[in-house]
Amino acid sequence: MTALKKQEIQFVIFAIFALLILFRFQMGHTSINVDAHFLLLHTLLELFSIFVSLSVFVQAWTTYSTHRIKSQYFIGLIFLAVGCFDLVHTLTYKGMPFINDEFSTSRATWFWIVARLTESIGVALFVFKPNKLLFIKRGWGVCVTVLLITVCTLIILTIPERLPVLINAQGVTDLKVALEYVITTFILFTFITLLRRYIKDSQPNIDSIRMIFALFVIMVGELFFTFYNQVYAIENLIGHCFKFIGYIYIYRSIYFPEIQQILTDKEKAEKQQIETELKLYEAEKNLSRQVFMAHEEERKRVSRELHDGIGQSLFSILVTLNTVKNDQSIEKREENLQTIKLMTQEAMKEVKEIARSLRPSTLDDLGFIPAVRSYLESYKQIHNISVQYEIKGGLGRLEPEVETALYRICQEALTNTAKYAKASEVNVTLNMEENSVDLIIKDNGIGFFIEDYLKNAKRKGIGLYSIKERAEGVGGSAQFHSKVNEGTTIEVCVPRNANEKVAHSIESIKI
């Protein structure tokens, strides 16, 4: 059985019980005074209803700025008035120390009637005309409500003798009974309307049935206020108890769901934050591992080239020198010295190649453009790939940090092209703007699906990540375009000044 069905059954059982109690007191025609502890119980019950009323207003006030639902703000103003009238009703009740004269009962009863009329009419308007309420601004709504509360309060407090009598020595007057029936009628119509909507609703919710039950309980409580003949009578206390129960369910149907939703959203947001932080941590750990592996691979390459290239050359030089030492013939010695010279030159050439691969001196001495031009020349010879290079705009040096980033991006992109693209031609375009530099590298290779690359980034290395990180490291951005059998294009935009962001930066792909 669902929670909604259980709630419906509980409400029906309670409703039957409440009607039986009401029938018993109506048929009994008896009224029992319960002077002991009545004032304390009355005060506690009313303070709770005041809390609920003001809570509904505070919720409506705080959420209006974001939701802009005028009907909810209207019901918040209604409950602000109800809460204020109930507060004055409690403070002026017979036996309270604040105002204790012959009109105490009259004042408290009139505050009660005004509060109940405001409540029943306001809730009815909220249900029947939800989209045609409150055409004034939020601040003015509160001002008008406070003004009406003040006017009514001053009238009841200052001229109670001019107001019609609601309770006399015999009990409640006909006017009091009539007003209670009017209030009950408004609540009854609202109750029937909400119940019909609930029955027709294909997906009813538990908050709707709670509001329906709250109206029913309050309506039954109002009928109890037509029976008593003394303010401390048992019927009066039972009526307040029914109102207390009704306000519990008003709280649960209006105020509590909003608080519950806030807490749920907060919990959901915290959960998403934790998941995002874990994903970010895993991504950073994976990227750090890939960077470390890349560094290790670079160290292995340099070590291998030193061992297999320069190491072997130096060993050959050493062997040849030993041979020269033992040579008796001048001609043979000259021949070996010439061989040593050639091997030394070859070793020096290999050292320069290794140094250039690590960081070319041209980049520091002459700048990015000469360095990349030199790199492209050697790239064509090594990989046998045609390279078209074009510079647009003014020349001149960039900031060292920017030049290094552009050089490494170009180096990484072209290395990936040589390894994976199977391209026969690469176009490198450099646009030198006043405040930014655009680097576009395009090949005619086999291309790839970027989504597949991202899924297998751990296997394939850090190519795109490295390019993106280097571009963003100097305030720029990178964008990648690729289709199978249509080649790949890498667009990088960086500022001339590394401390500034690119005003017209290319939107970076999220990887």
Side-chain angles (χ1 to χ4, degrees):
M1 185 180 296
T2 63
L4 188 60
K5 291 295 182 182
K6 289 181 180 179
Q7 194 84 77
E8 290 175 353
I9 294 173
Q10 292 174 5
F11 290 163
V12 170
I13 295 173
F14 187 90
I16 295 172
F17 177 72
L19 291 175
L20 289 175
I21 295 177
L22 179 65
F23 181 76
R24 160 68 180 81
F25 276 91
Q26 188 177 22
M27 297 299 296
H29 299 291
T30 57
S31 182
I32 304 172
N33 290 336
V34 283
D35 293 347
H37 307 300
F38 181 94
L39 189 61
L40 175 62
L41 292 173
H42 172 269
T43 302
L44 292 176
L45 293 172
E46 286 298 322
L47 287 177
F48 175 79
S49 67
I50 294 167
F51 165 76
V52 173
S53 298
L54 297 182
S55 297
V56 172
F57 166 71
V58 170
Q59 173 194 325
W61 174 268
T62 54
T63 58
Y64 182 74
S65 59
T66 55
H67 294 78
R68 295 288 178 181
I69 302 177
K70 292 184 177 181
S71 58
Q72 289 188 359
Y73 185 53
F74 172 80
I75 200 67
L77 294 177
I78 291 297
F79 275 96
L80 171 63
V82 171
C84 291
F85 287 134
D86 279 340
L87 177 62
V88 186
H89 161 77
T90 304
L91 297 177
T92 58
Y93 203 78
K94 182 180 179 181
M96 295 295 283
F98 303 101
I99 300 177
N100 219 344
D101 56 23
E102 57 181 320
F103 296 107
S104 295
T105 302
S106 178
R107 289 192 188 93
T109 307
W110 269 110
F111 280 121
W112 171 267
I113 291 296
V114 172
R116 302 287 73 76
L117 282 171
T118 304
E119 173 189 275
S120 59
I121 296 173
V123 173
L125 289 174
F126 172 74
V127 172
F128 289 106
K129 300 289 184 180
N131 298 319
K132 298 181 180 180
L133 302 173
L134 200 67
F135 295 98
I136 57 179
K137 295 182 179 179
R138 182 171 69 162
W140 283 105
V142 174
C143 292
V144 172
T145 304
V146 171
L147 178 62
L148 293 175
I149 294 170
T150 304
V151 171
C152 292
T153 302
L154 289 176
I155 291 173
I156 296 172
L157 287 177
T158 55
I159 53 172
E161 68 279 359
R162 298 185 182 181
L163 300 176
V165 177
L166 299 179
I167 297 181
N168 54 29
Q170 287 74 37
V172 294
T173 63
D174 292 340
L175 176 61
K176 171 69 160 55
V177 173
L179 290 173
E180 293 288 2
Y181 282 142
V182 169
I183 294 168
T184 304
T185 301
F186 276 110
I187 299 174
L188 178 62
F189 282 141
T190 307
F191 167 79
I192 293 174
T193 302
L194 290 179
L195 184 60
R196 291 178 62 185
R197 291 178 185 176
Y198 178 81
I199 295 173
K200 293 180 180 180
D201 193 352
S202 59
Q203 293 181 337
N205 60 73
I206 198 167
D207 295 327
S208 298
I209 191 65
R210 285 171 179 168
M211 188 65 182
I212 292 170
F213 180 72
L215 291 175
F216 173 80
V217 173
I218 292 173
M219 180 175 60
V220 173
E222 289 296 328
L223 295 177
F224 274 93
F225 294 117
T226 62
F227 298 156
Y228 67 91
N229 54 23
Q230 298 292 332
V231 293
Y232 284 3
I234 186 66
E235 296 90 342
N236 195 356
L237 183 61
I238 292 175
H240 280 86
C241 290
F242 273 93
K243 179 194 172 188
F244 171 79
I245 296 171
Y247 268 63
I248 288 178
Y249 282 94
I250 287 178
Y251 175 84
R252 295 192 67 183
S253 65
I254 296 179
Y255 181 73
F256 182 73
E258 186 72 21
I259 300 300
Q260 192 175 35
Q261 184 64 40
I262 292 173
L263 295 176
T264 302
D265 292 344
K266 180 176 179 293
E267 183 179 355
K268 184 178 179 181
E270 290 176 348
K271 185 178 179 180
Q272 290 177 344
Q273 181 182 359
I274 293 174
E275 291 176 353
T276 303
E277 289 177 351
L278 288 175
K279 290 180 180 178
L280 181 60
Y281 172 74
E282 290 296 327
E284 289 179 347
K285 186 169 68 173
N286 185 44
L287 183 59
S288 298
R289 182 170 59 251
Q290 292 174 356
V291 170
F292 175 77
M293 291 173 61
H295 288 168
E296 287 300 312
E297 287 296 325
E298 183 69 10
R299 291 188 181 100
K300 289 179 181 178
R301 183 187 67 82
V302 174
S303 174
R304 186 168 54 250
E305 291 183 359
L306 289 174
H307 179 270
D308 298 342
I310 299 175
Q312 295 299 323
S313 297
L314 293 176
F315 179 75
S316 298
I317 292 172
L318 182 60
V319 171
T320 307
L321 285 173
N322 289 330
T323 303
V324 171
K325 180 180 179 181
N326 299 322
D327 285 338
Q328 300 297 325
S329 170
I330 296 177
E331 294 179 359
K332 188 67 174 178
R333 183 178 298 177
E334 288 293 335
E335 181 182 346
N336 287 332
L337 288 175
Q338 187 64 28
T339 301
I340 292 172
K341 180 180 179 181
L342 292 174
M343 287 190 294
T344 304
Q345 290 174 344
E346 188 65 27
M348 291 177 62
K349 183 178 178 181
E350 290 183 9
V351 170
K352 288 181 179 180
E353 287 295 327
I354 294 173
R356 190 164 68 100
S357 67
L358 294 176
R359 183 176 180 86
S361 59
T362 312
L363 184 62
D364 296 320
D365 299 335
L366 302 178
F368 167 70
I369 294 175
V372 77
R373 185 180 286 118
S374 175
Y375 174 75
L376 293 176
E377 290 296 331
S378 63
Y379 180 85
K380 287 192 291 185
Q381 297 175 4
I382 295 172
H383 300 288
N384 194 26
I385 296 176
S386 174
V387 178
Q388 303 296 325
Y389 181 48
E390 183 182 7
I391 301 176
K392 298 178 181 180
L395 302 178
R397 293 294 299 267
L398 305 174
E399 284 196 358
E401 187 178 354
V402 175
E403 289 187 333
T404 301
L406 287 174
Y407 184 84
R408 294 304 184 193
I409 289 171
C410 187
Q411 194 177 41
E412 182 69 38
L414 291 173
T415 300
N416 288 340
T417 299
K419 285 183 178 180
Y420 309 115
K422 298 180 181 178
S424 61
E425 183 177 329
V426 177
N427 292 288
V428 179
T429 304
L430 189 67
N431 296 324
M432 306 285 287
E433 303 291 343
E434 181 180 356
N435 297 317
S436 64
V437 179
D438 296 336
L439 175 64
I440 303 173
I441 302 172
K442 183 178 181 180
D443 66 57
N444 64 347
I446 59 175
F448 63 97
F449 289 111
I450 293 181
E451 293 77 9
D452 293 341
Y453 173 88
L454 298 181
K455 291 178 182 178
N456 299 305
K458 181 177 179 181
R459 177 175 58 85
K460 292 189 176 181
I462 59 172
L464 299 188
Y465 290 92
S466 176
I467 292 172
K468 179 177 180 291
E469 290 298 322
R470 287 189 183 278
E472 292 181 349
V474 292
S477 58
Q479 188 172 10
F480 310 93
H481 307 281
S482 185
K483 291 184 179 180
V484 175
N485 298 324
E486 294 186 16
T488 302
T489 300
I490 299 174
E491 298 177 358
V492 176
C493 184
V494 298
R496 280 181 171 269
N497 185 350
N499 296 322
E500 298 178 358
K501 295 290 183 181
V502 183
H504 56 285
S505 63
I506 304 169
E507 182 181 358
S508 175
I509 186 171
K510 293 182 179 179
I511 63 173

